[in-house]
Amino acid sequence: MHLAPHILRRAVAAATVALLATAVGCAPEPEEKAAGTPSGSAEKACPQGKLATKTSGRLTIATDEPAYEPWFKDDKPANGKGFESAVAYAVAKQLGYARSAVVWQSVPFNKAFAPGEKTFDFDINQVSISAERKKAVDFSSGYYDVRQAVIALKNSKAAKATGIADLKGLKLGAQVGTTSLDYITDVVQPKQQAAVYAKNDQAKSALKNGQVDAIVVDLPTAFYITSAEVTDARIVGQFENQGAAPEQFGLVLDKGSALTRCVTSAVDTLRKDGTLAGIEKQWLSDAVDAPVLK
């Protein structure tokens, strides 16, 4: 049976509308809408306890040996005591790793941020974030805002310094590769070349033996040294931050590490929810204000 032309035209039009409706219903969302729709991608990128770590199911954390107070307690990073040990376990928990899944590794301070593939997932060892170091490694966001301080024996000429100008004629010392040493060379700019030591223990010994007039360390370490280790020394003062942003310690990771985003997110969460402030209050409460050297 033949259909009339006008009936045929109506049938074709109806079919076309139906096809268009079906096509629209199956079409993908516009890119802007799709991009703004929560998709759980963050959870997929950082699956709890299942990150692409050096050892599957475990989180390898490095620090130097010995592990100094107040950052660690009794030279035992794995005991959870001391500011950085507590921070490390808090980050691990945030990433979905139980304390039993954390493995500690000893790595010298300078080696932690030297170029080359790392044997750890992240390193925590009072390493200040800097543009120069970022050329070789990744950093998490900062977990502690820090200032550098000067220590001298109480009865010395250096102990009477009230400003940077008073430090210029002194023999100063610091650990190699540290921001402390940078402050000596870049901020103080002393007349004598700074004494450089492999570890802070050597710098402390040099101070006690009169080989240097003063040493520079971070402020919490300065309070610990003067209260528990070199009790005849005092904090002369602390330096102002250089630049607009404060100096910060960051967790060190492989350059281009797949973990950097997840570790940074963990640190940011711990800062926002007050966990870092609580750990700081518990372990660094003695690090109160010291005179500012200008």
Side-chain angles (χ1 to χ4, degrees):
M1 182 176 78
H2 298 283
L3 294 174
H6 66 282
I7 295 175
L8 184 59
R9 283 196 298 271
R10 272 187 240 154
V12 171
T16 301
V17 170
L19 286 170
L20 286 171
T22 302
V24 170
C26 296
E29 289 182 323
E31 288 186 10
E32 288 185 6
K33 184 176 180 182
T37 302
S39 62
S41 59
E43 292 182 7
K44 292 178 182 177
C46 303
Q48 290 284 288
K50 297 179 180 179
L51 300 177
T53 53
K54 297 294 182 182
T55 302
S56 180
R58 296 191 176 276
L59 188 66
T60 303
I61 304 175
T63 196
D64 203 352
E65 185 180 4
Y68 298 108
E69 298 192 27
W71 310 106
F72 299 91
K73 187 76 173 173
D74 302 323
D75 192 20
K76 296 178 180 178
N79 64 14
K81 298 178 181 179
F83 178 77
E84 289 193 328
S85 181
V87 168
Y89 280 115
V91 171
K93 182 179 179 181
Q94 193 67 35
L95 294 173
Y97 291 90
R99 186 162 171 161
S100 59
V102 173
V103 178
W104 285 90
Q105 187 181 98
S106 175
V107 173
F109 178 81
N110 271 350
K111 192 175 179 180
F113 51 86
E117 186 176 354
K118 308 307 175 192
T119 55
F120 51 78
D121 293 311
F122 70 76
D123 178 278
I124 182 167
N125 190 24
Q126 307 115 64
V127 181
S128 296
I129 301 169
S130 73
E132 184 63 28
R133 289 172 179 170
K134 281 184 177 180
K135 294 177 182 178
V137 295
D138 279 0
F139 280 97
S140 70
S141 51
Y143 62 86
Y144 180 68
D145 297 353
V146 65
R147 285 194 176 192
Q148 300 299 317
V150 179
I151 301 175
L153 297 179
K154 292 177 181 177
N155 59 355
S156 67
K157 177 183 175 181
K160 300 175 183 178
T162 58
I164 292 174
D166 299 326
L167 302 174
K168 289 185 179 295
L170 303 178
K171 181 67 174 179
L172 304 175
Q175 183 177 345
V176 64
T178 60
T179 309
S180 304
L181 183 58
D182 291 340
Y183 267 76
I184 294 176
T185 56
D186 299 338
V187 178
V188 178
Q189 298 179 354
K191 297 174 183 177
Q192 304 179 59
Q193 186 173 354
V196 182
Y197 303 96
K199 293 184 179 292
N200 268 335
D201 275 347
Q202 296 171 353
K204 287 181 288 186
S205 295
L207 178 65
K208 287 190 286 187
N209 296 334
Q211 295 169 305
V212 292
D213 298 310
I215 61 174
V216 179
V217 294
D218 59 77
L219 187 57
T221 297
F223 272 95
Y224 181 76
I225 290 174
T226 54
S227 65
E229 297 184 316
V230 189
T231 54
D232 59 340
R234 64 179 290 264
I235 297 175
V236 178
Q238 62 179 308
F239 293 104
E240 291 183 300
N241 283 319
Q242 302 298 303
E247 179 186 349
Q248 292 185 316
F249 291 156
L251 305 177
V252 182
L253 301 95
D254 258 325
K255 185 67 177 174
S257 171
L259 303 182
T260 302
R261 177 184 173 191
C262 300
V263 173
T264 291
S265 178
V267 172
D268 290 344
T269 297
L270 295 172
R271 184 179 283 275
K272 289 175 184 177
D273 68 14
T275 299
L276 290 181
I279 296 174
E280 181 179 336
K281 184 176 181 181
Q282 179 180 2
W283 294 107
L284 302 181
S285 57
D286 290 338
V288 295
D289 289 337
V292 177
L293 300 167
K294 297 183 179 179

